[in-house]
Amino acid sequence: VIGVTVVAVILLWWWTYSPVRRYRRSVKSEIYPDIFRYFGPDFTYQVEGQLSARSLQPSGILPGFDDETREDYVSGTYNSVGIELTEARLTEKQGSGDNRRNVEVFRGMFIRFHMNKSFAGHTVVVQDVGRVGNWLSSRFSGLERVALEDPVFEKRFEVRSSDQIEARYLLTPSFMERLLELGTLFGSRKLRCAFYDDRLLFLIESSQNRFEGGTILEPETFADEIRAILSEMPALFGIVDVLKLDEQTRL
């Protein structure tokens, strides 16, 4: 009897929630492309995430993981700089035997800039969260610690680089302010970024599940979503402007 009841509850939940899933998917596939096209004709939105975590591993700032899931992929160009972002969740198998389980090691946004010049070195910036110094030391033995100009940022971020001169050129107070702005807009206090090859990657940890739309029980105006997007995208464009990522010249 209990088994039948459980099955009935599951079927009822599926039947009730199915219209909500269809509604939300339709919102994503029909509404969000139009919203993002406001920023340029080549800006596109896809429900399925396209920016693989494994392709980002050369950045060196991803945690160890075994599995990844992605959704809500946005891409486009601003001043000839390619911009991609996607929501992602990374898990790692931990423990052994009966205690082996999948543990979430990252949830948030991947944001990658692809530019017209390559960086001379490899520079990583991690917001100070506990044992971040030890994490960086073990991971980047070939990178040297970089002292920031502003003592306020020095206390909040740990920076390592293979090129001290380039790192100081990049990590100006203006850039660090933009970095904090991104964290505020995306509701995150744990930020990582890496300059490597011809790419700049941000990992922004956040528990928010974006691009989900509202409930089918209330009229949907998309006002909150549009407001968030209209504040977040210009912040990304500001990163391009403050670093002059659109310039063809090499740093």
Side-chain angles (χ1 to χ4, degrees):
V1 176
I2 295 178
V4 173
T5 303
V6 170
V7 171
V9 169
I10 292 174
L11 290 174
L12 179 61
W13 175 87
W14 182 88
W15 180 82
T16 303
Y17 192 68
S18 183
V20 177
R21 288 200 309 272
R22 289 197 299 269
Y23 164 76
R24 287 180 174 172
R25 190 171 184 86
S26 119
V27 165
K28 289 184 174 188
S29 60
E30 296 178 17
I31 302 299
Y32 284 122
D34 290 335
I35 294 176
F36 281 101
R37 203 169 293 119
Y38 166 81
F39 298 102
D42 68 335
F43 269 88
T44 62
Y45 168 86
Q46 299 177 46
V47 175
E48 293 79 15
Q50 303 295 315
L51 193 56
S52 165
R54 301 193 186 280
S55 70
L56 305 177
Q57 287 182 314
S59 70
I61 59 174
L62 273 74
F65 69 96
D66 294 304
D67 297 301
E68 61 175 302
T69 56
R70 305 179 307 275
E71 63 177 348
D72 303 315
Y73 172 76
V74 178
S75 67
T77 57
Y78 171 75
N79 284 354
S80 301
V81 175
I83 301 176
E84 300 173 274
L85 62 91
T86 193
E87 281 192 316
R89 178 176 182 265
L90 306 179
T91 59
E92 182 181 43
K93 292 180 174 64
Q94 297 181 4
S96 60
D98 294 339
N99 294 322
R100 191 159 179 79
R101 64 198 186 284
N102 285 326
V103 176
E104 182 176 280
V105 293
F106 177 85
R107 179 190 292 269
M109 301 289 297
F110 296 157
I111 303 174
R112 184 172 69 177
F113 297 83
H114 188 179
M115 58 218 68
N116 296 313
K117 59 184 175 184
S118 294
F119 297 107
H122 184 183
T123 300
V124 299
V125 182
V126 181
Q127 195 159 10
D128 191 359
V129 284
R131 294 175 295 178
V132 66
N134 293 335
W135 181 83
L136 280 171
S137 296
S138 63
R139 210 110 186 240
F140 298 108
S141 57
L143 304 184
E144 298 179 352
R145 188 175 181 278
V146 179
L148 298 176
E149 296 179 17
D150 192 315
V152 175
F153 295 127
E154 179 79 22
K155 291 180 180 179
R156 300 186 66 174
F157 293 92
E158 179 82 11
V159 181
R160 298 292 176 96
S161 180
S162 62
D163 189 319
Q164 292 274 330
I165 295 175
E166 181 179 70
R168 290 192 174 91
Y169 174 84
L170 293 168
L171 304 177
T172 62
S174 295
F175 171 77
M176 301 307 290
E177 288 173 0
R178 295 284 186 178
L179 185 59
L180 290 175
E181 179 186 6
L182 277 183
T184 299
L185 288 173
F186 284 91
S188 173
R189 293 184 178 180
K190 296 182 180 180
L191 307 174
R192 297 177 185 177
C193 73
F195 301 83
Y196 66 106
D197 299 332
D198 57 353
R199 292 167 171 78
L200 167 59
L201 173 68
F202 289 92
L203 266 59
I204 303 180
E205 293 192 39
S206 174
S207 59
Q208 296 180 13
N209 195 7
R210 321 180 83 78
F211 310 115
E212 293 307 313
T215 169
I216 62 173
L217 303 178
E218 297 178 0
E220 180 57 82
T221 64
F222 302 101
D224 292 339
E225 289 81 1
I226 292 173
R227 272 195 295 269
I229 292 169
L230 288 178
S231 61
E232 292 163 358
M233 295 303 292
L236 299 183
F237 300 156
I239 294 289
V240 175
D241 293 335
V242 76
L243 292 175
K244 299 181 174 62
L245 298 181
D246 55 314
E247 292 184 357
Q248 298 284 338
T249 55
R250 187 180 179 90
L251 286 171

